[in-house]
């Protein structure tokens, strides 16, 4: 199992450009998440999905969009990139969201710089 | 007040020593609690869940105090490989709320 994979690993964008961060998991997890991590800060939830065709906003969704057409894939779209979106982006998945067993498995992250 | 607060450190600790971190959370309705470990420029990985009665996994012991709304992580006989950032995570309404982490540096 590859687990959770993310591409690209690094990207530099100019202000106003758009891009899609790819995320794929091969664990057949229903639940998938996108987080951003700014230096010295905790992870902030951008969007999440409880299954194919179902997505919902997290804490910091503005400037982002997601889709979930398959169980495996959960791409994150940045429209009109801004310097405030400079961050490390992590995709994660979990088998369940139950209180006891909500272990999330993370991809290696995408380091995005917007100049 | 932040939902989940941790001392950012860094904690500089000699190899073999015992070190403890605390984490406080603001929502008394929080349902479950975890410690994740994050190595430099890597993704977070689950270290251990924290149970109400306290739990141990080798050199690591986690405690929960619901009355005072804090959890703790104790690392005994610390190893150089324990150097990392330790993230306190609280499950509230089926979403994980993350602390900013405590950086631990183990010195030879």
């Amino acid at each position: 199992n590859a687990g959770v994979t993310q591409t690209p690993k690094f990207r530099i964008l100019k202000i106003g450009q758009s891009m899609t961060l790819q995320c794929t998991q091969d664990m057949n997890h229903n639940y998938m998440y996108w987080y951003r991590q700014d230096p010295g800060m905790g992870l902030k939830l951008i969007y999440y999905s409880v299954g194919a065709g179902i997505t919902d906003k997290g804490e910091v969704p503005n400037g982002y969009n997601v889709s979930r057409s398959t169980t495996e894939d959960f791409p994150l779209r940045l429209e009109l990139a801004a310097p405030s979106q400079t961050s490390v982006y992590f995709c994660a998945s979990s088998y369940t969201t139950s209180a006891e067993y909500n272990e999330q498995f993370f991809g290696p992250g995408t380091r995005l710089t917007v100049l | 007040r932040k939902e989940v607060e941790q001392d950012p450190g860094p904690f500089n600790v000699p190899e073999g020593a015992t070190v403890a971190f605390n984490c406080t959370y603001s929502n008394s309705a929080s349902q479950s609690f975890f410690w994740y470990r994050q190595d430099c420029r890597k993704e977070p990985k689950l270290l251990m869940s924290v149970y109400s009665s306290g739990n141990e996994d080798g050199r690591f012991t986690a405690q929960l105090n619901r009355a005072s709304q804090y959890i703790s992580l104790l690392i005994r006989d610390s190893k150089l490989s324990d150097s990392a950032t330790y993230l306190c995570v609280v499950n509230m309404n089926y979403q994980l709320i993350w602390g900013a982490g405590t950086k631990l540096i183990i010195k030879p």
Side-chain angles (χ1 to χ4, degrees):
Chain A
N1 282 354
V4 180
T5 57
Q6 290 182 239
T7 58
K9 285 189 168 50
F10 305 93
R11 184 72 186 268
I12 298 175
L13 282 182
K14 294 182 179 179
I15 294 172
Q17 287 186 318
S18 300
M19 75 165 294
T20 299
L21 282 66
Q22 301 292 346
C23 174
T24 299
Q25 54 92 10
D26 63 359
M27 296 175 282
N28 202 32
H29 286 168
N30 283 326
Y31 301 89
M32 296 188 74
Y33 315 85
W34 274 106
Y35 292 95
R36 60 177 287 172
Q37 186 176 34
D38 299 327
M41 306 290 285
L43 276 71
K44 300 292 185 186
L45 183 65
I46 305 171
Y47 270 95
Y48 66 98
S49 170
V50 301
I54 307 170
T55 63
D56 208 348
K57 295 177 181 179
E59 186 181 355
V60 290
N62 291 345
Y64 308 95
N65 274 301
V66 294
S67 59
R68 184 96 182 270
S69 56
T70 66
T71 299
E72 294 79 18
D73 300 308
F74 190 40
L76 176 72
R77 177 82 178 161
L78 276 72
E79 305 283 1
L80 299 174
S84 61
Q85 293 178 304
T86 294
S87 190
V88 180
Y89 291 84
F90 288 106
C91 179
S93 71
S94 67
Y95 173 68
T96 179
T97 59
S98 75
E100 288 288 318
Y101 301 110
N102 189 5
E103 179 180 1
Q104 294 189 2
F105 297 84
F106 285 80
T110 294
R111 282 171 172 73
L112 176 68
T113 302
V114 181
L115 300 174
Chain B
R1 181 183 172 186
K2 291 182 183 176
E3 292 180 284
V4 178
E5 290 202 71
Q6 297 183 251
D7 182 339
F11 285 48
N12 289 285
V13 173
E15 193 175 7
T18 295
V19 61
F21 315 130
N22 280 344
C23 161
T24 59
Y25 60 95
S26 61
N27 191 332
S28 60
S30 299
Q31 297 153 310
S32 54
F33 310 87
F34 308 89
W35 284 102
Y36 276 70
R37 171 192 168 127
Q38 186 173 26
D39 293 311
C40 186
R41 301 180 71 81
K42 298 286 190 181
E43 72 272 22
K45 292 184 180 178
L46 180 66
L47 178 66
M48 60 196 301
S49 301
V50 186
Y51 301 122
S52 296
S53 56
N55 49 298
E56 193 172 299
D57 184 0
R59 298 181 292 109
F60 299 84
T61 301
Q63 297 278 356
L64 167 63
N65 185 319
R66 283 192 184 271
S68 300
Q69 293 182 209
Y70 76 84
I71 67 174
S72 64
L73 178 67
L74 180 80
I75 305 174
R76 290 182 299 278
D77 187 24
S78 53
K79 312 291 184 191
L80 295 175
S81 57
D82 293 334
S83 296
T85 296
Y86 291 83
L87 304 171
C88 171
V89 187
V90 175
N91 186 330
M92 286 192 280
N93 299 321
Y94 305 106
Q95 290 191 9
L96 298 188
I97 309 299
W98 296 74
T102 296
K103 187 170 184 177
L104 173 64
I105 300 171
I106 305 299
K107 301 180 293 184

